[in-house]
Amino acid sequence: MTIWGAVMNASIGFVFVLLLLSLGIILFSYLTPYSTFQLMKEGSNLNHPHKVAQAKAVAYELSGKMVGIGIILFCSIFNMHSLKKMVFWGLLGIFLELIIYYLFILCAPMKVASEIEKGNIAIAHLSSQICVASGLLIGSFASLS
C-alpha cells in the first residue's frame, strides 16, 4: 500500500469514528430526560450558582460518556483490520454502553437523572465513571474477535 493509500484509509476511518462518536453523544443526549446542551449553555450565567452546578454535573456526565465511547472506538480501531468490523464493533459498543448506563439508572438507589439535573456533581461523576468502566470492558471484547 502506498503512503497515499494509507492516508486515505486513515482519513476514511477517522470520518467514521467521528460519525460514531457523534451518534453516541446524540443518542445519550436524546435519551436523557433533560436537555444536556441547554443546561450547559445556561450554566454560563455565574449569577445563578444552581445553573452553574447543573452545567458542571451535565458536563461531567457527558464527558464520561464520550470517553467511554472513545475507548470502545479506540479498541475497535486497534483490533479490527476492516472498516466494516470497526463500524460493527463501534455500533455494538455504543448499544452495549447504552444498556449498561440504563441498567445503572434502574439499579441506583436514587433518581440519577433528577440528581444530575439538580446539580449533584457526585452522582454525575459516578455516572461518568460507570460509562468509562463499561467502555473499557466492552472495548476489551473487541480484542477477542
Side-chain angles (χ1 to χ4, degrees), residues 7 16 24-25 65 70 73 78 90 118 126 129 132 136 138 142:
V7 168
F16 274 95
I25 293 167
K65 292 172 183 174
L73 294 174
F78 190 75
K118 290 179 195 173
L126 175 64
Q129 295 309 300
V132 170
L136 287 167
I138 294 166

Side-chain angles (χ1 to χ4, degrees), residues 34-51:
Y34 48 83
S35 176
T36 303
F37 296 104
Q38 183 64 32
L39 288 176
M40 284 194 288
K41 182 179 175 184
E42 291 172 0
S44 65
N45 187 347
L46 299 177
N47 294 328
H48 294 93
H50 176 69
K51 291 188 184 265

Side-chain angles (χ1 to χ4, degrees), residues 4-69:
W4 293 112
V7 168
M8 186 58 110
N9 284 344
S11 299
I12 291 169
F14 185 71
V15 168
F16 274 95
V17 165
L18 285 179
L19 289 172
L20 287 169
L21 182 61
S22 299
L23 174 69
I25 293 167
I26 289 167
L27 284 173
F28 269 114
S29 297
Y30 180 74
L31 295 174
T32 54
Y34 48 83
S35 176
T36 303
F37 296 104
Q38 183 64 32
L39 288 176
M40 284 194 288
K41 182 179 175 184
E42 291 172 0
S44 65
N45 187 347
L46 299 177
N47 294 328
H48 294 93
H50 176 69
K51 291 188 184 265
V52 173
Q54 280 180 319
K56 284 181 183 179
V58 170
Y60 283 144
E61 186 187 42
L62 182 62
S63 64
K65 292 172 183 174
M66 289 171 59
V67 170
I69 293 170

Side-chain angles (χ1 to χ4, degrees), residues 49-92:
H50 176 69
K51 291 188 184 265
V52 173
Q54 280 180 319
K56 284 181 183 179
V58 170
Y60 283 144
E61 186 187 42
L62 182 62
S63 64
K65 292 172 183 174
M66 289 171 59
V67 170
I69 293 170
I71 291 168
I72 293 166
L73 294 174
F74 165 77
C75 292
S76 71
I77 293 166
F78 190 75
N79 294 300
M80 301 300 137
H81 300 291
S82 76
L83 186 62
K84 287 180 186 177
K85 285 184 177 181
M86 184 203 68
V87 170
F88 170 76
W89 272 101
L91 289 171
L92 180 63

